Amino acid sequence: MSTATLLWGVLFGSVGLGFFVYGKKQRAIVPLVCGLALMTFPYFVSGTFLLIAIGAALMAIPWFVRV
């Protein structure tokens, strides 16, 4: 695990926590699920570029999917 992977994981985890809290308070399922995914996926992805791509996609989903 490189330093970049660790720092990107911390960044995506903190954004995921924000999405999770927002989704829980607003009772919105999309930010809630994306927040959980953002907090957990860095444990399973080891490549830095793949980590950034998946994290950016998960952060963009609540902006485009409104349920």
Side-chain angles (χ1 to χ4, degrees):
M1 179 174 279
S2 69
T3 306
T5 306
L6 181 65
L7 291 176
W8 281 108
V10 168
L11 176 73
F12 290 133
S14 61
V15 171
L17 180 64
F19 275 148
F20 178 76
V21 170
Y22 174 78
K24 190 172 181 182
K25 285 186 179 184
Q26 297 296 323
R27 298 180 193 251
I29 191 72
V30 175
L32 182 78
V33 171
C34 285
L36 283 174
L38 278 167
M39 286 188 288
T40 58
F41 91 94
Y43 292 108
F44 304 109
V45 178
S46 60
T48 305
F49 293 115
L50 188 60
L51 182 79
I52 294 170
I54 294 172
L58 285 172
M59 285 176 30
I61 288 174
W63 291 97
F64 296 112
V65 177
R66 305 283 179 176
V67 176

